[in-house]
Amino acid sequence: MKTIKFTKMQGCGNDYVYINGFSEHVNDPSALAKRVSDRHFGIGSDGLVIMEPSNRADVRMRMFNPDGTEAQMCGNATRCVARYVYERGLVREKVIRIETGAGIKVARLILDEGQVSGATIDMGEPILGMAAIPLKVAEGQDPNAMYVKKSLEIMGQTWNVTCVSMGNPHCVVFLGENDPELMDMDLEKIGPCFEHNELFPERINTEFVRVKSVTSVEMRVWERGTGETMACGTGACATAVACALNNLTGRTVDVRLRGGTLRINWNEHDNHVYMTGPAVPVFDGTLYL
């Protein structure tokens, strides 16, 4: 019987199964992602991450959703990858370049008395043009126009949305006074209606946000191909950018998710978004195939 060694890690409750592709070989990562993600018959996770050698960076990260589709990247997972490769001796530096489907991301490890506790990730510049996000562009519409503070009708209700890509597409939904409380929302019902709306040709990750102050927001997230997760790093970054574009917060904001808090800074000097948060190992194990 074939076996594969794995590590489960989480960042703000966004948990993945991590496989060291330097020493392990996965024939069908899509099928394996479906298996390991199952919380009853598998390990239980928000997906599968495989770390491999890279010709462009220190390590390559491939990420697969629970439905088997491959995603461009995951912000929470990049922090966990950085901690894994450093602590396992695959990379010796505390600044680590990670190749993703959305380009190379740079992680700066945070050490507490010599132990890695988290990382700050340079997530790059936000993508704001409609065609690049991508959104469906109507005839005669400017493909480079931003989709900020727009009204979108879903399930017979009009929502205030702003769309941003952080290497993967996000629709940030700002809740108003007449909308339900964040924790009362039925995301299992609402999320798929956003994800599969015709405006989003590659489906969409959707963040439901309530602004608490100029430095703090609360967020729940529905991820395409996954469903609701405890946290989403790229979603938190997209939320911070959308908040600033709508003049709801400053450029540094604490995004409070179900699994914890991420600090996001949209730097006005280089236009890059920086995400700081934890990266926590849960357990190592052996999977029998």
Side-chain angles (χ1 to χ4, degrees), residues 214-216 240 249-254 263-266:
V214 294
T215 59
S216 178
T249 69
R251 283 177 166 257
T252 299
V253 61
D254 288 335
R263 174 156 290 185
I264 311 298
N265 169 247
W266 184 16

Side-chain angles (χ1 to χ4, degrees), residues 196-236:
H196 298 284
N197 187 272
E198 64 179 7
L199 179 62
F200 311 116
E202 296 181 8
R203 299 185 294 168
I204 200 77
N205 303 289
T206 310
E207 289 72 39
F208 300 89
V209 177
R210 190 171 294 281
V211 177
K212 307 301 287 186
S213 72
V214 294
T215 59
S216 178
V217 303
E218 293 179 344
M219 183 188 105
R220 287 176 69 188
V221 58
W222 180 269
E223 296 195 53
R224 59 177 181 172
T226 303
E228 184 176 12
T229 58
M230 297 290 284
C232 175
T234 56

Side-chain angles (χ1 to χ4, degrees), residues 233-262:
T234 56
C237 293
T239 293
V241 170
C243 285
L245 289 173
N246 283 272
N247 297 313
L248 296 173
T249 69
R251 283 177 166 257
T252 299
V253 61
D254 288 335
V255 181
R256 293 154 52 189
L257 307 116
R258 291 185 64 192
T261 299
L262 295 172

Side-chain angles (χ1 to χ4, degrees), residues 5-18:
K5 295 185 182 300
F6 70 89
T7 297
K8 184 170 179 177
M9 302 181 74
Q10 60 89 5
C12 288
N14 197 192
D15 60 339
Y16 289 90
V17 172
Y18 294 79

Side-chain angles (χ1 to χ4, degrees), residues 101-288:
I104 294 175
K105 307 301 177 186
V106 179
R108 297 180 182 274
L109 294 173
I110 300 170
L111 276 70
D112 183 9
E113 296 182 353
Q115 297 293 317
V116 179
S117 60
T120 295
I121 309 293
D122 180 351
M123 301 290 286
E125 298 186 52
I127 298 167
L128 302 175
M130 288 180 59
I133 289 174
L135 307 182
K136 182 179 179 180
V137 180
E139 185 176 352
Q141 196 171 16
D142 180 3
N144 297 315
M146 295 192 299
Y147 201 83
V148 175
K149 204 173 184 179
K150 300 293 185 179
S151 296
L152 180 63
E153 186 170 329
I154 300 282
M155 296 178 58
Q157 181 174 345
T158 301
W159 305 85
N160 172 20
V161 307
T162 293
C163 293
V164 178
S165 172
M166 291 302 308
N168 50 7
H170 293 271
C171 177
V172 180
V173 181
F174 291 106
L175 301 181
E177 292 181 0
N178 297 324
D179 290 319
E181 289 301 314
L182 196 58
M183 294 310 298
D184 293 337
M185 297 184 69
D186 186 357
L187 260 61
E188 291 290 334
K189 182 178 181 181
I190 302 170
C193 295
F194 276 89
E195 179 181 353
H196 298 284
N197 187 272
E198 64 179 7
L199 179 62
F200 311 116
E202 296 181 8
R203 299 185 294 168
I204 200 77
N205 303 289
T206 310
E207 289 72 39
F208 300 89
V209 177
R210 190 171 294 281
V211 177
K212 307 301 287 186
S213 72
V214 294
T215 59
S216 178
V217 303
E218 293 179 344
M219 183 188 105
R220 287 176 69 188
V221 58
W222 180 269
E223 296 195 53
R224 59 177 181 172
T226 303
E228 184 176 12
T229 58
M230 297 290 284
C232 175
T234 56
C237 293
T239 293
V241 170
C243 285
L245 289 173
N246 283 272
N247 297 313
L248 296 173
T249 69
R251 283 177 166 257
T252 299
V253 61
D254 288 335
V255 181
R256 293 154 52 189
L257 307 116
R258 291 185 64 192
T261 299
L262 295 172
R263 174 156 290 185
I264 311 298
N265 169 247
W266 184 16
N267 189 288
E268 61 184 338
H269 299 294
D270 62 10
N271 199 40
H272 285 216
V273 180
Y274 295 87
M275 173 189 62
T276 300
V280 183
V282 181
F283 61 84
D284 293 325
T286 301
L287 180 65
Y288 292 85

